[in-house]
Amino acid sequence: MTMTMTLQSVDAPECDSAPTAVLDRVSVVLDAFEGPGRLTLAQIVRRTGLPRSSAHRLLERLVSMRWLRREGRDYELGMRLVELGSLAVHQDRLHSAAMPLLHELYRVTGFVVHLGILDGSDVVYLEKIGGRLGAAVPTRVGERRPAALTALGQALLAFESPHPTPQSHRARIRDAGVAFESGSGLAGFSCLAVPIGPVGRAVAAVSICGPSKALRNDHISAAPVRMAAAAIWRAIDGGALTVTPTLQRRQMLRNLPTAAGA
């Protein structure tokens, strides 16, 4: 009896912790793919700190599940993650409410349209509509960029801060209800963004981005963006909504370099 109880007391914690340990390793491996491009086994081992043999077994298992894809010695995110991410985004109430209005904003202005949310000190892009002009603007759905370097992020930061310094940049953005960024991240391009929701409750922001010679920081450029933001806010039942990024791994690789931009 004593021996049985001793074995149970030793084995039970291992059984309880095993699923968590596996999930932690999967999370660490997926975090390694933050940003574009493929990774080799050696690169994944360096980024994750996992033993080479453990990393290889886990990678091959994820390949078999279609979470990853392997081509030769290189690994990249697989179609199953793309499918799940797309499903999650398209089920999201904010995204569903915003889509027809984003398309209309693009039709009216001809500029690249972004929908983004704030996640800590970063902006995460939920949607991008841009036609041929969009190919010239290096942003993508699911990407994160430093909020302070983007019009979307500046708009959200201004509406998030409870008491900005009266003469600060954020205070001016809050008073104007519009953030404008020109050229700091995208040479030759400017972006104008408006938060979706009032101060302290903004759930997202919408922006237009285009050549600086065509997009100006004035009421004419801002008017259709304001109208789109207001319509989206009304469409989500007065804003009784909070949004978090989909498939954005925020913990392990937060300190990797990120590009500045729109």
Side-chain angles (χ1 to χ4, degrees):
M1 177 69 70
T2 301
M3 181 177 295
T4 301
M5 292 179 64
T6 301
L7 289 174
Q8 289 176 342
S9 65
V10 171
D11 291 343
E14 292 181 356
C15 293
D16 291 341
S17 63
T20 301
V22 171
L23 290 175
D24 286 343
R25 288 196 294 270
V26 170
S27 177
V28 167
V29 168
L30 294 180
D31 284 342
F33 289 88
E34 185 80 15
R38 299 174 178 178
L39 297 175
T40 64
L41 174 59
Q43 290 173 315
I44 294 168
V45 168
R46 284 197 300 270
R47 292 192 178 194
T48 64
L50 292 173
R52 186 181 181 89
S53 59
S54 297
H56 184 261
R57 286 196 300 271
L58 186 55
L59 287 168
E60 290 303 309
R61 179 58 176 156
L62 291 174
V63 168
S64 71
M65 296 169 63
R66 296 174 60 236
W67 285 35
L68 296 179
R69 184 173 67 173
R70 177 168 54 80
E71 185 170 331
R73 296 183 177 181
D74 296 331
Y75 295 88
E76 61 185 348
L77 295 179
M79 286 306 300
R80 185 56 180 158
L81 286 180
V82 174
E83 293 164 359
L84 290 173
S86 177
L87 180 62
V89 167
H90 287 283
Q91 287 180 338
D92 184 84
R93 187 150 53 101
L94 168 64
H95 188 270
S96 298
M99 280 305 293
L101 295 160
L102 299 179
H103 280 287
E104 179 65 11
L105 181 60
Y106 169 65
R107 187 190 68 79
V108 169
T109 66
F111 295 126
V112 178
V113 175
H114 293 104
L115 176 69
I117 62 172
L118 193 63
D119 181 40
S121 61
D122 294 336
V123 156
V124 178
Y125 293 93
L126 295 186
E127 190 55 73
K128 175 182 179 180
I129 301 169
R132 284 187 289 183
L133 180 60
V137 179
T139 54
R140 59 182 173 80
V141 175
E143 182 181 5
R144 63 172 62 237
R145 296 191 177 205
L149 300 181
T150 69
L152 283 171
Q154 291 175 25
L156 287 167
L157 289 170
F159 271 53
E160 176 190 60
S161 178
H163 302 291
T165 304
Q167 300 304 317
S168 69
H169 182 55
R170 291 186 185 182
R172 291 193 293 271
I173 291 174
R174 178 180 290 191
D175 291 342
V178 174
F180 188 80
E181 188 279 323
S182 183
S184 66
L186 298 172
F189 286 90
S190 296
C191 297
L192 187 153
V194 175
I196 299 171
V199 172
R201 296 181 61 200
V203 297
V206 60
S207 73
I208 55 175
C209 183
S212 296
K213 62 182 180 181
L215 177 57
R216 304 297 183 185
N217 185 15
D218 56 28
H219 70 278
I220 296 176
S221 296
V225 189
R226 291 181 187 275
M227 293 175 64
I232 294 169
W233 179 249
R234 290 193 299 270
I236 55 178
D237 298 326
L241 173 70
T242 58
V243 185
T244 56
T246 300
L247 293 180
Q248 290 297 317
R249 285 83 60 187
R250 297 173 293 219
Q251 299 175 355
M252 302 302 296
L253 298 177
R254 177 75 68 136
N255 294 326
L256 286 180
T258 53

